[in-house]
Amino acid sequence: MLPAVSIVDVVKHFGALKALAGVSLEIGQGEFFGLLGPNGAGKTTLISCLAGLVRPDSGRLSVLGHDVTKDFREARRNLGVVPQELVFDPFFNVRETLRIQSGYFGIRKNDDWIDEILENLDLTSKADVNMRRLSGGMKRRVLVAQALVHKPPVIVLDEPTAGVDVELRQGLWQFIRRLNGEGHTIILTTHYLEEAEALCNRIALMKQGKVVALDTTANLMAAHPGASLEEVFVRTLQS
Amino acid sequence: MIGFFTLFEKEFLRFWKVSFQTVAAPVLTALLYLLIFGHVLDEHVQVHGVRYASFLIPGLVMMQVLQNAFANSSSSLIQAKITGSIVFVLLPPIPYSAFFAAYVLAAVVRGLMVGLGVLVATVWFAELKVVAPLWIVAFSVLGGALFGAAGMIAGIWAEKFDQLAAFQNFLIMPLTMLSGVFYSIHSLPAFWQGVSHYNPVFYMIDGFRYGFFGVSDVPPENSLAVVVACFLAMSWLTLRLLKQGWKLRA
């Protein structure tokens, strides 16, 4: 079976800064994968390379076998990304935003699925509200909805619960778990390590543009008996 | 194709939702130009045997077509870049050619809507005939497309609103104001007549005006050739930059 995501020896510089120093990873279909690391470790750069927003200096990335550069249309069709920044288009309401995003992926008349996403993310009552009038947490939910609108088999969530209340977090994870159960591959970056511990089957720890640990969550925890994932995280980074 | 149509629809809605600012305001500006210059000069000046107010209207229409086509694509792109919402059009599998076509088409549509608005608002103040409507359509569509493409380059290049304003104020505005909107270049000294021939906007205004009066400073076929060549060159450059992901993809 093709891996959901294949990353081979990816290097990326921003001027003198080496943001990615030869990252290699393979994520299987149906995995709930955690990409963790401190600020500046290269997580977002790696995700941006996968999404085609950043072009690596060298190395190869593919989504379900589709090279993100040579076969970018198929690669992007199979990928849904929730960006880290809270961005929105102030001209449109929530439903318009989702219809437009759906159309960008070549899907018209997608209202049944849009309604389902709105309901699962508790956005139904906000469907006709302009994006400018939403709170930060609500805008974050819309970002998640936008990433899911074309039902991508691979979903990347770049700190999706930053600034989000507990109720939404629970609702969001319930929905994402359901999608994972239906076969969607989930790649998650988060600073809430308890979330990663509870959700992810496998975890990669990144530091200074490199993967410094890559294993199942269970194995990582077993290597440090009695420690929480946060302690494992700190010990691994210090070593 | 759905991606292209959706992006075009989004770009159309973006200016249509604020049409008071994006369509009505430039129509009012053009009307004020006509009322002021037409009132002062109409009794005293004739150009190509046409009264000044009549001569002025096609120039004002075309000037607004060009400036608004440029404003549409450039403002949309820089706003999306600065707010970060550009990511929504960079993540989907939209080919760069469809990206280009959608932005340029929306720019043309806004330019033509403003141009039509100016025509409807000003036609009551002067006698205006239409001798060759196909020339009018050809120059307005091609001129709008050329400036829509130029707006894309400016919007992608600029990193701040003041950089875009500089592009508009120090390049686009002089090119349009010094293109013969308000005068025939035959009224200029020989040196400035020669300089005017290096301004592509002059050919757009002159060819567009030919469609109304059947007279022009330069044969309309020559003007069309210049405008088509400029449009092809600008499109080639824009497509090349989009393909490279210049200033869009790091």
Side-chain angles (χ1 to χ4, degrees), chain A residues 12 14 51-55 72-73 76-77 81 83 87-89 91-92 96 99-101 103-108 143 146, chain B residues 2-3 5-7 9-10 13-14 17-18 79 83-85 87-95 243-245 248-250:
Chain A
K12 177 67 185 177
F14 291 110
L53 299 174
V54 168
R55 294 180 170 178
F72 72 92
R73 294 185 69 180
R76 289 183 202 166
R77 217 183 292 283
V81 179
V87 293
F88 63 96
D89 195 326
F91 289 90
F92 303 103
E96 287 171 334
R99 281 182 179 157
I100 287 169
Q101 200 65 26
Y104 289 160
F105 282 90
I107 307 166
R108 289 271 198 194
L143 281 177
Q146 282 179 271
Chain B
I2 294 175
F5 282 118
T6 306
L7 188 52
E9 185 185 359
K10 181 272 232 179
L13 288 172
R14 198 193 68 86
K17 283 182 178 234
V18 286
Q79 191 173 38
T83 63
S85 64
V87 74
F88 300 133
V89 292
L90 295 179
L91 287 172
I94 303 172
K243 188 178 180 184
Q244 289 172 352
L248 290 175
R249 300 181 194 274

Side-chain angles (χ1 to χ4, degrees), chain B residues 225-246:
Chain B
V226 172
V227 175
V228 167
C230 289
F231 172 65
L232 291 176
M234 188 67 77
S235 300
W236 175 82
L237 178 62
T238 315
L239 285 164
R240 189 180 154 91
L241 295 175
L242 287 173
K243 188 178 180 184
Q244 289 172 352
W246 179 67

Side-chain angles (χ1 to χ4, degrees), chain A residues 75-123:
Chain A
R76 289 183 202 166
R77 217 183 292 283
N78 285 301
L79 193 67
V81 179
V82 182
Q84 193 180 115
E85 285 80 23
L86 209 54
V87 293
F88 63 96
D89 195 326
F91 289 90
F92 303 103
N93 66 34
V94 174
R95 185 177 291 282
E96 287 171 334
T97 297
L98 295 180
R99 281 182 179 157
I100 287 169
Q101 200 65 26
S102 180
Y104 289 160
F105 282 90
I107 307 166
R108 289 271 198 194
K109 296 177 182 169
N110 196 19
D111 275 11
D112 287 347
W113 176 237
I114 287 173
D115 285 337
E116 196 175 332
I117 300 174
L118 289 173
E119 194 181 330
N120 278 286
L121 292 170
D122 202 14
L123 281 167

Side-chain angles (χ1 to χ4, degrees), chain B residues 111-184:
Chain B
L112 293 181
M113 286 176 75
V114 173
L116 193 62
V118 173
L119 199 59
V120 169
T122 55
V123 74
W124 314 101
F125 298 92
E127 189 188 344
L128 202 65
K129 53 187 179 177
V130 175
V131 170
L134 285 180
W135 287 112
I136 294 172
V137 172
F139 280 102
S140 55
V141 170
L142 277 169
L146 173 55
F147 271 62
M152 286 190 79
I153 293 178
I156 294 170
W157 166 76
E159 284 163 12
K160 296 182 286 185
F161 283 109
D162 58 331
Q163 288 178 329
L164 185 60
F167 204 100
Q168 276 177 310
N169 293 327
F170 293 99
L171 184 65
I172 301 301
M173 189 66 86
L175 279 177
T176 49
M177 297 292 270
L178 301 175
S179 61
V181 170
F182 296 96
Y183 53 83
S184 161

Side-chain angles (χ1 to χ4, degrees), chain B:
Chain B
M1 283 303 276
I2 294 175
F4 158 74
F5 282 118
T6 306
L7 188 52
F8 166 71
E9 185 185 359
K10 181 272 232 179
E11 281 300 295
F12 174 81
L13 288 172
R14 198 193 68 86
F15 79 78
W16 186 243
K17 283 182 178 234
V18 286
S19 54
F20 199 68
Q21 173 202 334
T22 55
V23 179
V27 170
L28 177 64
T29 305
L31 186 60
L32 290 173
Y33 273 125
L34 179 73
L35 292 177
I36 294 165
F37 287 102
H39 175 72
V40 172
L41 298 172
D42 193 43
E43 299 290 326
H44 313 288
V45 178
Q46 281 208 339
V47 186
H48 296 310
V50 177
R51 289 182 67 151
Y52 185 72
S54 303
F55 171 84
L56 183 58
I57 288 174
L60 290 174
V61 169
M62 193 59 177
M63 183 175 80
Q64 293 296 27
V65 169
L66 303 179
Q67 288 185 351
N68 282 279
F70 179 89
N72 202 65
S73 49
S74 61
S75 65
S76 176
L77 281 164
I78 193 166
Q79 191 173 38
K81 277 172 58 182
I82 286 175
T83 63
S85 64
I86 190 85
V87 74
F88 300 133
V89 292
L90 295 179
L91 287 172
I94 303 172
Y96 65 90
S97 53
F99 192 89
F100 168 80
Y103 273 89
V104 168
L105 185 59
V108 171
V109 170
R110 173 168 158 192
L112 293 181
M113 286 176 75
V114 173
L116 193 62
V118 173
L119 199 59
V120 169
T122 55
V123 74
W124 314 101
F125 298 92
E127 189 188 344
L128 202 65
K129 53 187 179 177
V130 175
V131 170
L134 285 180
W135 287 112
I136 294 172
V137 172
F139 280 102
S140 55
V141 170
L142 277 169
L146 173 55
F147 271 62
M152 286 190 79
I153 293 178
I156 294 170
W157 166 76
E159 284 163 12
K160 296 182 286 185
F161 283 109
D162 58 331
Q163 288 178 329
L164 185 60
F167 204 100
Q168 276 177 310
N169 293 327
F170 293 99
L171 184 65
I172 301 301
M173 189 66 86
L175 279 177
T176 49
M177 297 292 270
L178 301 175
S179 61
V181 170
F182 296 96
Y183 53 83
S184 161
I185 63 160
H186 287 307
S187 63
L188 297 174
F191 173 76
W192 290 109
Q193 276 190 43
V195 170
S196 295
H197 281 96
Y198 289 98
N199 179 0
V201 185
F202 156 70
Y203 297 95
M204 295 176 213
I205 303 279
D206 198 51
F208 184 72
R209 196 172 263 137
Y210 176 87
F212 287 90
F213 305 119
V215 286
S216 54
D217 291 330
V218 172
E221 296 83 2
N222 294 5
S223 293
L224 188 67
V226 172
V227 175
V228 167
C230 289
F231 172 65
L232 291 176
M234 188 67 77
S235 300
W236 175 82
L237 178 62
T238 315
L239 285 164
R240 189 180 154 91
L241 295 175
L242 287 173
K243 188 178 180 184
Q244 289 172 352
W246 179 67
K247 292 212 166 199
L248 290 175
R249 300 181 194 274

